[in-house]
Amino acid sequence: DGGITQSPKYLFRKEGQNVTLSCEQNLNHDAMYWYRQDPGQGLRLIYYSQIVNDFQKGDIAEGYSVSREKKESFPLTVTSAQKNPTAFYLCASSSLYEQYFGPGTRLTVT
Amino acid sequence: AQSVTQLGSHVSVSEGALVLLRCNYSSSVPPYLFWYVQYPNQGLQLLLKYTSAATLVKGINGFEAEFKKSETSFHLTKPSAHMSDAAEYFCAVSEREYGNKLVFGAGTILRVKS
């Protein structure tokens, strides 16, 4: 089955620790995206990548980092510099117009 | 920059009643428009899309939306609500000139009463 996988579903970390969220797709899509979702705020773009070894900051990139070494993979690291990291994180990929989303990772930092 | 406004953060309808979720956009170029649905703790699923073909777009689960350029609107409708339609719905516009990035509205939570 083609699709996007995100792991883990739930993630708990202590404040001050970096944490990496996984995103893998087998849709052969060139573009991939990371969004953050908070209640009542819709989805906000963190980073996106249109091709391997290239990525751009989105609207809220501060405190986050990404890499795109393989077409299939686009991991997101939430660093200790992110002031309010607790949120639902969604990964997506696209070929033409529409984006396809993974199931999300809920990160809780205490 | 493009933007999306969804009127009403919460909409409540009775089972069998008409569903109308409102979306207005701003765009300096002809837009691509999308409606997505999200069930609790899940990812987003594409309901339907407008990509400059027919202005009345039919999607999955009986939903449809009409692109009205003069009103800069793309409202989502369904003639008869079902309990399984209860979810959060997001309208999005594509910034085609920036690698197909999507700009999302804040979302509308649909409640269906029995």
Side-chain angles (χ1 to χ4, degrees):
Chain A
D1 267 342
I4 302 174
T5 57
Q6 291 185 246
S7 61
K9 180 70 174 173
Y10 298 94
L11 193 52
F12 299 88
R13 281 294 182 270
K14 295 289 187 187
E15 208 172 299
Q17 293 179 334
N18 291 356
V19 59
T20 297
L21 281 59
S22 167
C23 177
E24 304 276 334
Q25 56 102 356
N26 61 4
L27 300 168
N28 200 33
H29 289 168
D30 287 316
M32 296 186 73
Y33 311 80
W34 273 105
Y35 294 91
R36 171 184 173 133
Q37 186 177 20
D38 297 284
Q41 296 193 45
L43 277 71
R44 293 181 290 169
L45 183 65
I46 304 172
Y47 269 98
Y48 66 103
S49 168
Q50 294 177 260
I51 198 168
V52 174
N53 292 322
D54 188 42
F55 48 83
Q56 289 78 39
K57 292 181 179 180
D59 302 316
I60 57 165
E62 185 175 349
Y64 300 97
S65 66
V66 293
S67 63
R68 187 83 187 278
E69 297 175 2
K70 299 187 299 182
K71 188 175 186 178
E72 305 79 20
S73 178
F74 192 40
L76 173 74
T77 297
V78 184
T79 76
S80 56
Q82 168 49 234
K83 291 187 172 62
N84 186 18
T86 294
F88 191 52
Y89 291 88
L90 286 159
C91 178
S93 69
S94 70
S95 57
L96 289 176
Y97 311 123
E98 65 261 34
Q99 293 184 15
Y100 297 86
F101 284 81
T105 292
R106 186 166 296 280
L107 173 65
T108 302
V109 177
T110 57
Chain B
Q2 293 165 315
S3 66
V4 174
T5 302
Q6 291 184 238
L7 295 174
S9 58
H10 292 78
V11 170
S12 184
V13 301
S14 297
E15 194 173 18
L18 171 72
V19 175
L20 171 60
L21 304 182
R22 298 178 189 273
C23 173
N24 288 88
Y25 69 91
S26 69
S27 175
S28 57
V29 298
Y32 289 168
L33 294 158
F34 306 84
W35 274 101
Y36 285 87
V37 61
Q38 185 182 34
Y39 298 98
N41 288 314
Q42 294 186 27
L44 275 66
Q45 179 183 8
L46 181 68
L47 274 179
L48 49 79
K49 63 187 177 191
Y50 167 76
T51 55
S52 71
T55 57
L56 182 62
V57 180
K58 294 188 184 300
I60 62 172
N61 301 339
F63 285 93
E64 62 181 39
E66 186 172 7
F67 172 67
K68 291 188 176 180
K69 184 178 178 180
S70 61
E71 299 177 8
T72 61
S73 70
F74 191 57
H75 300 332
L76 182 71
T77 61
K78 181 174 180 177
S80 176
H82 191 273
M83 297 297 288
S84 61
D85 295 326
E88 189 162 16
Y89 293 80
F90 292 94
C91 182
V93 62
S94 173
E95 294 189 333
R96 282 182 288 158
E97 63 272 30
Y98 298 114
N100 288 330
K101 288 193 301 176
L102 291 181
V103 175
F104 285 86
T108 298
I109 295 173
L110 176 66
R111 178 184 170 218
V112 181
K113 300 176 290 186
S114 59

